[in-house]
Amino acid sequence: MATKICVGGFISRENKFLFGKRSPEKDWAAGLWDIPGGKALKNENPLFTLRREVKEETGLRVRDAELLTIMNITANKNVIFTYHIYMITSYKGKAENLSHEHTVLRWFIREELNSISLALPQYLTLLDNWIITSK
């Protein structure tokens, strides 16, 4: 079974978090809400991948990010993704949907995330833990 590195980043603004609705053509989590991110290129540092993917998908330039967790996700019977999830603590620019990865980008307050279909339910726990520890 192959292992691939992928990354995702929570982006916050005024107590809201940016999520994109995954394209219905995606192999994994099609039509579900997800954080910006993607797969690393060969020998690419995960933080560099985060910066590249967020810029490609949203136009935002990541300045700083804090690693929240690394988890393994089985995408299909042939691939395990080692998923590096970050909280983006500083960025520049205005978010816009620049890729085919998502059909729409939207800012959600934390409570709204309980009632949408997330790509990973673990996002809620990660966000809650970050909110508690960042106060």
Side-chain angles (χ1 to χ4, degrees):
M1 187 173 294
T3 301
K4 296 187 182 241
I5 303 290
C6 68
V7 302
F10 291 108
I11 303 168
S12 67
R13 179 190 78 188
E14 300 168 1
N15 295 318
K16 294 181 180 178
F17 298 93
L18 185 66
F19 278 75
K21 189 164 191 175
R22 290 177 64 84
S23 170
E25 288 85 38
K26 299 300 287 175
D27 291 338
W28 179 79
L32 302 180
W33 291 92
D34 202 6
I35 54 179
K39 296 180 198 111
L41 301 175
K42 186 175 181 180
N43 298 321
E44 186 177 45
N45 176 287
L47 187 54
F48 186 83
T49 304
L50 180 71
R51 288 186 168 112
R52 179 181 53 76
E53 287 284 345
V54 168
K55 178 101 169 96
E56 288 173 4
E57 292 179 12
T58 70
L60 297 174
R61 290 189 311 278
V62 174
R63 290 180 165 172
D64 290 308
E66 169 189 333
L67 181 64
L68 299 179
T69 193
I70 299 172
M71 64 175 69
N72 287 325
I73 298 171
T74 304
N76 58 48
K77 60 183 179 252
N78 299 322
V79 180
I80 294 177
F81 288 106
T82 301
Y83 191 23
H84 298 240
I85 302 176
Y86 293 85
M87 176 59 69
I88 296 170
T89 54
S90 176
Y91 62 89
K92 191 167 173 113
K94 183 179 176 198
E96 54 184 309
N97 190 18
L98 297 177
S99 79
H100 64 281
E101 303 284 327
H102 303 105
T103 57
V104 64
L105 295 179
R106 184 173 155 209
W107 295 96
F108 292 94
I109 61 170
R110 168 58 188 89
E111 291 74 24
E112 290 175 308
L113 297 175
N114 293 328
S115 58
I116 63 171
S117 298
L118 296 173
L120 288 175
Q122 296 95 320
Y123 287 156
L124 299 178
T125 304
L126 289 168
L127 270 179
D128 290 342
N129 290 341
W130 182 81
I131 291 167
I132 290 166
T133 59
S134 66
K135 288 186 177 180

